[in-house]
Amino acid sequence: MAAKGTVLYKPVGMLLGMAAGMVAGMAFQRLWKTVAGETEAPQPMDRDGLWREILPAAALQGATFAVVRAAVERGGAIAVHRATGRWPE
């Protein structure tokens, strides 16, 4: 039988994951505007895009999503642990 913390965490984790994706997208847009001074990051399939623009944009986007996801997952696990006394698996 699944631990109470794990059962509770699954639906919460799914909702937090969706929220994290939205927050990460907004954070990346703001970071890109600050770093590059442009409102939109270059897309990999853009015909006129340059490697020196596309690869840093992709790296920043990936790092942003990973950091936000880790923060949200960790925060959710800590909240479940505090509520149930068990660490979600």
Side-chain angles (χ1 to χ4, degrees):
M1 185 169 165
K4 184 178 177 185
T6 301
V7 173
L8 179 62
Y9 185 72
K10 289 195 185 246
V12 171
M14 289 174 54
L15 291 173
L16 289 174
M18 291 187 312
M22 293 186 330
V23 169
M26 291 186 299
F28 170 69
Q29 287 177 337
R30 188 170 287 207
L31 278 170
W32 185 255
K33 187 174 183 179
T34 301
V35 170
E38 300 173 4
T39 56
E40 291 188 30
Q43 299 299 311
M45 296 299 291
D46 183 4
R47 180 182 294 235
D48 299 323
L50 301 174
W51 285 97
R52 68 175 184 257
E53 297 170 348
I54 293 169
L55 295 181
L60 182 61
Q61 185 178 31
T64 302
F65 273 79
V67 167
V68 170
R69 180 179 173 215
V72 168
E73 284 185 7
R74 181 71 180 181
I78 289 169
V80 167
H81 181 257
R82 287 181 182 158
T84 66
R86 297 180 146 236
W87 193 260
E89 296 176 11

